[in-house]
Amino acid sequence: MQKDNVITLKKPETNNDLLTEVIRNGARQLLAAAIEAEVKEFLDHHNHSDAKARFVRNGYLPEREIQTGIGSVAVEVPRIRDRESKIRFGSSVIPKYLRRSISMNEFLPLLYLKGISTNDFVDALTPLVGDNAKNLSPGVISRLKAEWEDEYEVFRKRDLSKKRYVYFWADGIHLQARMEGSAECVLVIVGATEQGTKELLAIEGGHRESKESWLSLLLNLKNRGLTLAPKLSVGDGALGFWGALTEAYGETRHQRCWFHKMGNVLDKLPKSLQVQATKQLQEIWMSETRSKAYSAFDLFVKTYESKYFKATECLQKDKEELLAFYDFPAEQWAHIRTTNPIESTFATVRHRTYKAKGAFSRTTILTMVFKLCESAEKRWNRLRGFNYLADVIRDVKFNDGIRQEMKNESVNERDAA
């Protein structure tokens, strides 16, 4: 495997920041109070006042330092002794073996993508975590990287036969930090489950978002058990994905991403018109009904077609695919009009990755992106109107976002009155 290219950092000067020390001491006190509260709750729950206490305090475990975004914080976890030796106390605030906060675990892959060498992690993070960053040595970083690669392999080979996704969001991510092949990009799919939760479904390397790359990814999902097609897939205008989707999941509806489409259209207009054009494009996808959207669509074309034909042509070629969301619950329109679940996750990664000389290995890029997405997944919001997903799965008809059965019931009630 080709070695990753890296940049070298100069060792920073140690800076004893009084404010940071004050914040760090406050964090120690808060952690101690939180752990003591856990201990008290544990003892109160298991010990009964009418009997001899089964669980008693037995000193503290050895002090350890947790690397956080405000530096190294020393903690001591109380030890609890069970007279019957069956139940053990474990802190949920400071789990066993924890050495880094979750925010630090997100930060480390980002630094790797930025081109920081394993030998330079301690130097790079000393201003943040202090001089005691002993658990960020090159050996530890290398072991972490190996563990992350194993986790990524498990993720990309996991069984999907018990999964059902109602929606797909798909995008090809081009990072400044390049893989070995300059034409490579990262193909990402996020799925919405029947319960309305968003899950990271796939991350693979692809060749210029080609149909062959996307088809390989989609067929791999089918081979691992994901045989039921999503009802709708959201993506940009990359023809490779849509051709592959039609071949792999022919019954899936197509929704073009308005975020990408607006950017493509505006690029074909002079800057002096872009603010006005943006408002006119927003009037299309923010319309309450499909008929109003058609009217706003036609007005935009009529306004710009004579002088800026390429802009209107770009918009018109995906007209129906841009408005497919009107056939789905209105509560979910904000989710399915764009590839925002992917865009928001990669916004920071795109701007902060460093284009080092040469390129990273394919495995390194995909592994680090996987870890960043895995962390971001915990913050993804559940779909609004998730209770309508069962209707979407049953192919209940929605017109302008309203379920037709409900609309008919409202008409009947009005006529009866």
Side-chain angles (χ1 to χ4, degrees), residues 5 16 24 27 41 52 85 99 109 122 175 196 198 226 228 249 287 293 319 335 349 374 390 414:
N5 291 290
N16 295 320
R24 196 175 296 159
E41 182 180 356
K52 184 178 180 180
S85 302
R99 293 290 181 179
V122 174
L175 301 176
K198 299 170 189 170
L226 195 63
L228 294 174
Y249 297 107
S287 296
K319 183 175 182 178
H335 300 284
V349 182
E374 188 181 50
R414 185 187 63 194

Side-chain angles (χ1 to χ4, degrees), residues 32 34 98 117 122 124 140 231 256 267 358:
L98 178 70
S117 164
V122 174
V140 170
K231 293 299 180 180
R256 295 295 190 272
D267 283 345

Side-chain angles (χ1 to χ4, degrees), residues 299-371:
L299 178 60
F300 184 93
V301 173
K302 183 178 179 181
T303 302
Y304 298 102
E305 187 173 26
S306 59
K307 291 185 177 180
Y308 308 104
F309 176 73
K310 288 185 178 181
T312 56
E313 181 186 40
C314 177
L315 183 66
Q316 285 181 297
K317 69 177 183 178
D318 294 320
K319 183 175 182 178
E320 295 306 320
E321 289 81 1
L322 284 166
L323 304 178
F325 65 87
Y326 282 105
D327 294 329
F328 293 84
E331 290 80 359
Q332 295 166 12
W333 287 357
H335 300 284
I336 62 177
R337 286 185 296 217
T338 71
T339 54
N340 188 59
I342 297 177
E343 288 299 320
S344 58
T345 299
F346 280 91
T348 301
V349 182
R350 275 196 178 103
H351 293 298
R352 294 187 181 178
T353 50
Y354 181 81
K355 189 174 181 180
K357 293 180 180 179
F360 290 92
S361 73
R362 177 191 179 99
T363 301
T364 295
I365 287 283
L366 295 175
T367 300
M368 299 305 154
V369 169
F370 163 68
K371 292 303 295 183

Side-chain angles (χ1 to χ4, degrees), residues 359-392:
F360 290 92
S361 73
R362 177 191 179 99
T363 301
T364 295
I365 287 283
L366 295 175
T367 300
M368 299 305 154
V369 169
F370 163 68
K371 292 303 295 183
L372 291 170
C373 289
E374 188 181 50
S375 296
E377 182 180 29
K378 300 171 185 176
R379 299 187 293 272
W380 289 342
N381 295 323
R382 192 178 190 182
L383 266 65
R384 291 193 290 272
F386 61 87
N387 50 304
Y388 287 115
L389 290 174
D391 294 327
V392 174

Side-chain angles (χ1 to χ4, degrees), residues 174-226:
H174 298 267
L175 301 176
Q176 288 185 10
R178 296 183 293 108
M179 284 183 270
E180 292 163 341
S182 59
E184 292 267 356
C185 67
V186 181
L187 307 181
V188 182
I189 295 181
V190 171
T193 68
E194 297 172 274
Q195 294 74 37
T197 57
K198 299 170 189 170
E199 293 182 352
L200 180 63
L201 180 54
I203 293 180
E204 294 288 348
H207 183 78
R208 293 188 182 277
E209 298 188 66
S210 66
K211 176 182 176 181
E212 291 74 18
S213 296
W214 278 114
L215 185 59
S216 175
L217 186 156
L218 293 172
L219 292 180
N220 181 266
L221 296 179
K222 293 189 75 171
N223 290 337
R224 287 190 282 127
L226 195 63

